[in-house]
Amino acid sequence: MESAEDWLVESLRLYQDFHAFDLSGATRVLEWMGDKGILVAGYESLKKNEILHLILPLRLSVKENQGLFPERDFKVRHGGFSDRSVFALKHVPDTRLLVTSGLPGCYLQVWQVAEDTDVIKAVSTIDVHETEGSLWSRVAIFSSAAPGVLHGVRLSSLKVVDLESQKTTYTSGVGDSELLSSLQVLDADTFAFCCTSGRLGLVDTRQKGLQGAQEGACSLVISLAPAVKVAHRKAPGFDGTVQVYDVTSWDGMWGRVDPLFTHRGHIFLDDNGVDTAPLVTTHTWHPDKPRTLLSAASDASLHVWDWVDLRASC
Amino acid sequence: MLLSHVVHTAATEVCFPSPLSVLQGEGPRASCGAGAGQDVGRSCILVSIGGKNVMLDCGMHMGFSDDRRFPDFSYITRNGRLTDFLDCVIISHFHLDHCGALPYFSEMVGYDGPIYMTQPTQAICPILLEDYRKIAVDKKGEANFFTSQMIKDCMKKVVAVHLHQTVQVDDELEIKAYYAGHVLGAAMFQIKVGSESVVYTGDYNMTPDRHLGAAWIDKCRPNLLITESTYATTIRDSKRCRERDFLKKVHETVERGGKVLIPVFALGRAQELCILLETFWERMDLKAPIYFSTGLTEKANHYYKLFIPWTNQKIRKTFVQRNMFEFKHIKAFDRAFADSPGPMVVFATPGMLHAGQSLQIFRKWAGSERNMVIMPGYCVQGTVGHKILSGQRKLEMEGRQVLEVKMQVEYMSFSAHADAKGIMQLVGQAEPENVLLVHGEAKKMEFLKQKIEQEFRVSCYMPANGETVTLSTSPSIPVGISLGLLKREMAQGLLPDAKKPRLLHGTLIMKDSNFRLVSSEQALKELGLAEHQLRFTCRVHLHDTRKEQETALRVYSHLKSVLKDHCVQHLPDGSVTVESILIQAAAHSEDPSTKVLLVSWTYQDEELGSYLTSLLKKGLPQAS
């Protein structure tokens, strides 16, 4: 594959480090469990999907003497089977619990990651009252001594449920049936929501109703790098690339902004040889390494890459 | 290692399915220090199949430098000699964690039976063993180690095998080697006794690399497939990314004017890396020289000529066209070049930096931080390679000289191993009934077990170290059926139906480990026996005042009308026959109004005979 070879040669210049893996099934989720493990899950509709807890290769976890660690592979530390497609997966911090959302059936599944074996077991469910069968609930976690699960299909059905007691601690109390596209917890009392219409809003769970809504603001998924003020915009389903932007350089004018870096690995390393290039399904930042990202695509590939900031060399 | 469980021995001479048991040697996966990052175990598995005992691999644990590195065979030797107990030993490839304990096992513990391995393994093993012995004894001053003579004596017991060649170990046990990829000469082995078989994978690789092909096995459907559990829990970084990392390191060093030293063993990996660099140098139009130490070239060429069937298609093609090591950008090294200024890359032996040219070059280049050494494999304790991989930066050399290592040290693993996906592929190819994963921690691997069981509908076992696994097999016993018997069955008119079982009468003769199904007559003839005839006679009393002849006639008419599907005859002597059943009427000796019907039939006609009897007991219809 000529283009793959070319891209690899190019990659010597573009990336500090680069790893490419083939999962047994494509994932739409990449969730950290601690700083050394990630969780992935399948989303196929007619077969059993796997939920895997993967431990990062040692090389990516150590801070010094990287060169002395030849191990470049992921280890499957835990695994479980899900009969449903998994579209969202959240780890409840400081616990061994996971919450997933998917189809068919509009409910959330709670899982336990075993300590003495390699099993991820389904332990309980959280009801989501939604009659339309093709919709799945978005999920976010309020982490605290008593963790709460924020979920909802529509603005009207937004709820926070206490994980242990299963009691509802918050409801949106609005009648608006707009569909949600994502939820993000900001602190112990606040979360942000984004609707499929593009409406963006903030909610303080101590107050009634929804605050600060803005139209047409969130059509793309944004994630913020933990260590550095760099924003990453990914266009889900748009193409097979991942783009990195630096928000600190934006002066408030919403004009055309060029990405700092574009990761094209999923397109060029696609071994399937089919005409349709794979689409990037999800991405996440490494918690400790400022320029390391993990990205997954619809062809079951999983990349871990550390891009070179070409500005820095000038 | 403790062989702490009894091994099942064979059943009787008749082919009852005997339990197939596998005893796995202790092979703790040890990480020897943060710097070394070496993940080594020890392979040594004992399989009992159909009454035969086979040892698979005889590795040593390189993490230990005392007796713990060798397996403990005392459990078997307690009950007798190893030679008497074992039918053969099979070595999968030349890596020390698979063959390192072989001379100890054969010469110090004592085993004189055959040791099977492929030709490349046979050629390379003694070299590695000798190297290892030298390091252990000369560098580390170890006692109770095998000698050079022992290595030679051990190798005399080796029988080399070819790929896909069935080797008869004895008249019941046969083995066959399959291509495993991984390293030159590595093989997977099928062990067969009668209709029971086991496949042991050793180390293998499912994706081809630049100089070796991918492992392959046919749909041999063994009762058991034995493979490594660590594969199943690994998701491997792609080969391209590993190569990329290597190229990047070499390129960066060369770009800043530094020198790159790559210590290699004579074969395999060196070949792979050379091809890679050559391709890259060509594409990037790089000018820095790449050298290959001459000792390597000669040895490697020699070996490659011998083992060309073991490399992949591409290499085989190019070898026909030109010399293996005729690279455009790679030249023969001269000692003097090490002192030349400017960037360069050098491949030199030996691989662990423990002596010779690679160590010489290392000493010259270690002092500069612009330079780099890339260690492509595991290094035995005591070698300079091991020390620098453990993070040591000050080395004590001969004459108490201290060498400060400022050059960059990189440890890269180029070993080609299968992973979770690869294991599934292999299981899909071979279609075993059961899968056994060794060197894992059984309690921890329930998910993995479920995954394999679900995907392939096989049973998956994961014994803990020192544990025995026993499997019941149902071997199918082939039985030859005589043509005469088949013909007779066909003549009965009914066509065979694949869905309906058909009852066949015959005699099963077991002779000389052979099973045949023949007709009874033929069996009697062969065995020289006379056939016994069994006839049943039943008396049925009827009230009939007429003469016997008339009674017989009545019987005849009655049976003729009732038994429309059977041949009913009235013979001249008065008796009636229904098929081969005979009915005779006689007067009762004491009561003239009673007639006695004698119904007589052979054993074969029992069903009809019984039916007739009960029919007659019901009485005859009144004469019209």
Side-chain angles (χ1 to χ4, degrees):
Chain A
M1 264 240 300
E2 209 48 51
S3 61
E5 295 271 319
D6 286 332
W7 184 84
L8 253 161
V9 170
E10 261 294 284
S11 79
L12 293 174
R13 185 180 61 91
L14 299 171
Y15 301 87
Q16 191 54 40
D17 224 346
F18 185 71
H19 297 243
F21 302 92
D22 254 327
L23 298 173
S24 54
T27 182
R28 273 171 65 158
V29 305
L30 270 176
E31 173 82 347
W32 288 92
M33 192 161 153
D35 57 355
K36 291 193 169 54
I38 57 160
L39 294 150
V40 297
Y43 58 92
E44 289 196 59
S45 45
L46 292 168
K47 60 173 260 206
K48 260 195 187 333
N49 287 292
E50 287 178 1
I51 300 177
L52 301 174
H53 174 212
L54 306 174
I55 301 295
L56 253 63
L58 217 49
R59 192 168 254 258
L60 290 172
S61 303
V62 295
K63 304 230 172 17
E64 300 174 324
N65 279 330
Q66 250 200 343
L68 297 180
F69 293 88
E71 278 278 344
R72 299 177 62 91
D73 309 320
F74 272 109
K75 282 262 173 267
V76 179
R77 179 69 186 85
H78 293 95
F81 294 102
S82 168
D83 290 323
R84 308 153 78 209
S85 309
V86 176
F87 295 137
L89 186 153
K90 294 282 178 228
H91 170 231
V92 181
D94 301 319
T95 71
R96 297 187 74 86
L97 298 172
L98 312 173
V99 180
T100 62
S101 173
L103 288 173
C106 207
Y107 59 91
L108 304 179
Q109 181 72 58
V110 182
W111 307 79
Q112 171 126 40
V113 179
E115 278 205 69
D116 54 348
T117 70
D118 64 344
V119 168
I120 297 177
K121 206 173 55 158
V123 288
S124 62
T125 58
I126 295 173
D127 278 326
V128 170
H129 297 288
E130 172 56 52
T131 46
E132 221 182 292
S134 61
L135 302 172
W136 54 279
S137 180
R138 272 52 180 172
V139 190
I141 307 291
F142 274 103
S143 83
S144 67
V149 180
L150 167 68
H151 65 270
V153 176
R154 308 169 184 278
L155 279 176
S156 51
S157 57
L158 268 175
K159 262 196 186 84
V160 177
V161 168
D162 180 87
L163 190 58
E164 202 178 308
S165 66
Q166 293 254 352
K167 290 211 174 92
T168 305
T169 56
Y170 164 84
T171 46
S172 68
V174 298
D176 203 326
S177 64
E178 262 197 82
L179 291 174
L180 289 165
S181 73
S182 71
L183 293 169
Q184 190 152 341
V185 164
L186 300 173
D187 61 38
D189 305 298
T190 1
F191 68 88
F193 67 83
C194 191
C195 293
T196 53
S197 62
R199 189 167 151 199
L200 169 70
L202 278 175
V203 176
D204 186 325
T205 55
R206 296 164 298 189
Q207 297 177 22
K208 277 256 176 273
L210 315 167
Q211 303 90 42
Q214 214 178 318
E215 303 301 324
C218 58
S219 58
L220 300 167
V221 174
I222 297 180
S223 69
L224 286 165
V228 177
K229 288 268 183 292
V230 180
H232 174 173
R233 186 191 297 171
K234 179 198 84 168
F238 281 18
D239 63 15
T241 68
V242 180
Q243 294 163 326
V244 184
Y245 293 82
D246 182 356
V247 289
T248 61
S249 69
W250 295 349
D251 54 7
M253 309 238 302
W254 289 85
R256 204 196 116 86
V257 190
D258 286 325
L260 252 186
F261 186 84
T262 304
H263 173 64
R264 296 194 161 84
H266 290 286
I267 304 175
F268 285 101
L269 294 183
D270 170 31
D271 279 330
N272 293 339
V274 284
D275 290 314
T276 46
L279 301 172
V280 174
T281 53
T282 185
H283 72 276
T284 187
W285 289 88
H286 190 290
D288 302 322
K289 294 174 188 280
R291 280 196 310 279
T292 302
L293 279 115
L294 280 74
S295 57
S298 55
D299 62 351
S301 59
L302 172 64
H303 291 178
V304 182
W305 43 281
D306 184 348
W307 52 282
V308 171
D309 191 351
L310 296 166
R311 298 175 308 176
S313 50
C314 300
Chain B
M1 181 188 91
L2 286 164
L3 299 177
S4 56
H5 297 270
V6 178
V7 172
H8 288 270
T9 53
T12 69
E13 63 272 20
V14 179
C15 242
F16 291 129
S18 54
L20 170 64
S21 63
V22 179
L23 171 64
Q24 174 208 273
E26 231 167 53
R29 296 251 134 206
S31 259
C32 318
Q38 291 147 0
D39 202 26
V40 294
R42 184 216 293 121
S43 290
C44 185
I45 299 167
L46 188 61
V47 175
S48 278
I49 171 174
K52 303 289 174 184
N53 299 309
V54 177
M55 192 162 89
L56 302 168
D57 280 338
C58 190
M60 44 152 301
H61 197 305
M62 297 182 287
F64 297 115
S65 45
D66 54 21
D67 285 344
R68 282 175 299 171
R69 62 169 159 229
F70 293 137
D72 176 9
F73 300 104
S74 62
Y75 187 80
I76 306 177
T77 53
R78 215 186 299 170
N79 296 331
R81 300 190 318 137
L82 276 175
T83 312
D84 297 330
F85 177 75
L86 288 171
D87 291 281
C88 72
V89 173
I90 296 175
I91 302 292
S92 62
H93 64 288
F94 62 67
H95 277 158
L96 288 175
D97 57 342
H98 289 258
C99 74
L102 197 58
Y104 165 81
F105 161 77
S106 71
E107 307 311 304
M108 292 170 84
V109 180
Y111 169 76
D112 298 315
I115 301 172
Y116 293 97
M117 58 181 76
T118 62
Q119 277 179 317
T121 312
Q122 180 187 33
I124 301 169
C125 252
I127 303 174
L128 281 181
L129 288 168
E130 180 53 35
D131 256 0
Y132 170 54
R133 189 205 68 78
K134 260 196 250 159
I135 297 170
V137 175
D138 301 343
K139 297 258 172 232
K140 292 162 73 192
E142 287 187 36
N144 198 32
F145 210 85
F146 49 81
T147 61
S148 297
Q149 187 57 45
M150 285 180 185
I151 297 175
K152 292 197 182 93
D153 293 336
C154 170
M155 296 310 290
K156 286 189 193 131
K157 298 169 185 170
V158 169
V159 178
V161 301
H162 295 289
L163 282 178
H164 308 157
Q165 168 201 19
T166 301
V167 174
Q168 294 287 147
V169 177
D170 60 36
D171 54 9
E172 286 173 304
L173 172 64
E174 50 182 61
I175 64 172
K176 192 198 294 193
Y178 288 93
Y179 192 81
H182 183 56
V183 291
L184 195 69
M188 308 188 286
F189 280 87
Q190 181 196 36
I191 300 120
K192 207 162 169 185
V193 178
S195 62
E196 293 186 323
S197 64
V198 172
V199 167
Y200 170 58
T201 65
D203 287 346
Y204 64 101
N205 183 33
M206 294 303 285
T207 47
D209 59 28
R210 286 171 202 268
H211 81 296
L212 290 175
W216 177 88
I217 194 164
D218 52 13
K219 211 190 292 221
C220 54
R221 300 214 171 110
N223 297 99
L224 180 66
L225 179 85
I226 304 174
T227 191
E228 281 281 331
S229 61
T230 42
Y231 292 168
T233 51
T234 303
I235 298 182
R236 273 194 206 279
D237 186 17
S238 71
K239 183 169 85 89
R240 280 209 202 95
C241 289
R242 288 172 200 274
E243 290 183 343
R244 180 199 170 270
D245 201 28
F246 172 71
L247 288 173
K248 188 166 189 357
K249 296 280 178 326
V250 172
H251 188 224
E252 275 169 0
T253 307
V254 155
E255 287 285 283
R256 64 171 181 243
K259 298 167 168 43
V260 183
L261 170 64
I262 307 171
V264 287
F265 177 63
L267 305 170
R269 225 35 76 185
Q271 179 68 12
E272 181 86 5
L273 298 177
C274 279
I275 299 171
L276 182 58
L277 277 187
E278 166 97 341
T279 316
F280 182 60
W281 246 241
E282 183 73 23
R283 190 185 219 105
M284 301 283 284
D285 195 27
L286 295 173
K287 301 285 181 249
I290 309 175
Y291 298 112
F292 207 88
S293 67
T294 43
L296 258 173
T297 327
E298 280 156 21
K299 262 201 224 125
N301 261 324
H302 166 71
Y303 283 118
Y304 268 94
K305 278 206 190 79
L306 286 179
F307 304 127
I308 207 68
W310 286 86
T311 61
N312 65 24
Q313 194 70 353
K314 253 195 276 184
I315 300 268
R316 243 173 281 154
K317 263 198 263 177
T318 50
F319 192 80
V320 169
Q321 293 161 17
R322 58 154 201 201
N323 181 311
M324 183 100 283
F325 285 93
E326 234 169 64
F327 289 107
K328 204 164 132 194
H329 302 276
I330 306 180
K331 301 281 170 259
F333 185 67
D334 186 287
R335 205 193 308 195
F337 296 168
D339 299 313
S340 307
M344 71 176 80
V345 182
V346 176
F347 289 90
T349 55
M352 300 187 217
L353 282 182
H354 55 283
Q357 192 167 68
S358 61
L359 185 60
Q360 265 177 25
I361 301 172
F362 173 77
R363 291 171 82 145
K364 284 191 199 242
W365 296 356
S368 167
E369 52 218 359
R370 264 197 300 189
N371 298 336
M372 178 185 283
V373 60
I374 300 179
M375 304 298 296
Y378 173 78
C379 294
V380 170
Q381 258 184 35
T383 57
V384 169
H386 184 97
K387 290 184 182 143
I388 59 172
L389 288 180
S390 306
Q392 239 181 293
R393 300 311 255 171
K394 283 191 166 59
L395 302 173
E396 199 180 287
M397 312 297 280
E398 279 107 59
R400 297 194 153 252
Q401 271 192 313
V402 172
L403 178 67
E404 220 183 304
V405 180
K406 291 201 185 131
M407 79 194 303
Q408 233 180 298
V409 178
E410 290 284 333
Y411 185 3
M412 295 201 176
S413 165
F414 294 100
S415 221
H417 279 291
D419 66 355
K421 223 177 171 190
I423 253 197
M424 294 307 216
Q425 271 179 289
L426 192 75
V427 174
Q429 270 181 25
E431 291 190 12
E433 279 172 19
N434 303 281
V435 173
L436 190 134
L437 302 178
V438 292
H439 294 141
E441 293 165 82
K443 266 179 252 152
K444 298 202 170 197
M445 299 170 101
E446 280 172 47
F447 163 69
L448 181 57
K449 184 174 140 79
Q450 256 188 305
K451 184 179 153 103
I452 292 176
E453 287 182 342
Q454 273 175 28
E455 181 107 15
F456 297 107
R457 310 209 183 287
V458 292
S459 299
C460 183
Y461 299 88
M462 295 172 180
N465 296 331
E467 203 184 300
T468 304
V469 170
T470 305
L471 294 162
S472 296
T473 56
S474 323
S476 45
I477 302 165
V479 176
I481 180 169
S482 82
L483 201 57
L485 191 59
L486 260 180
K487 279 188 180 162
R488 191 210 290 183
E489 283 300 310
M490 296 296 285
Q492 296 217 340
L494 299 163
L495 286 171
D497 183 342
K499 295 197 184 116
K500 288 199 193 134
R502 177 95 158 254
L503 191 63
L504 196 68
H505 286 274
T507 306
L508 184 70
I509 301 181
M510 301 190 294
K511 194 177 169 195
D512 300 327
S513 305
N514 231 324
F515 283 76
R516 278 181 311 128
L517 191 66
V518 301
S519 65
S520 313
E521 298 81 32
Q522 192 178 337
L524 288 167
K525 203 155 115 197
E526 277 187 36
L527 299 166
L529 296 170
E531 186 175 3
H532 288 101
Q533 289 288 331
L534 270 177
R535 282 197 85 83
F536 298 100
T537 308
C538 199
R539 285 181 166 74
V540 179
H541 290 84
L542 283 180
H543 180 73
D544 193 351
T545 50
R546 282 167 285 200
K547 292 205 177 108
E548 303 86 275
Q549 296 89 325
E550 284 181 46
T551 310
L553 193 56
R554 274 178 77 198
V555 168
Y556 168 70
S557 311
H558 175 52
L559 290 179
K560 187 102 179 150
S561 69
V562 173
L563 301 172
K564 300 235 166 55
D565 291 330
H566 295 274
C567 175
V568 186
Q569 287 183 302
H570 192 189
L571 300 181
D573 69 355
S575 53
V576 178
T577 61
V578 178
E579 310 275 330
S580 63
I581 297 166
L582 185 65
I583 304 166
Q584 291 172 314
H588 192 279
S589 53
E590 277 146 34
D591 178 7
S593 63
T594 303
K595 295 295 171 293
V596 180
L597 293 178
L598 276 163
V599 188
S600 160
W601 63 91
T602 61
Y603 154 76
Q604 281 89 332
D605 295 320
E606 166 62 28
E607 210 181 307
L608 185 58
S610 300
Y611 172 66
L612 270 178
T613 310
S614 48
L615 184 64
L616 290 169
K617 276 185 179 162
K618 289 192 185 138
L620 296 172
Q622 289 305 315
S624 51

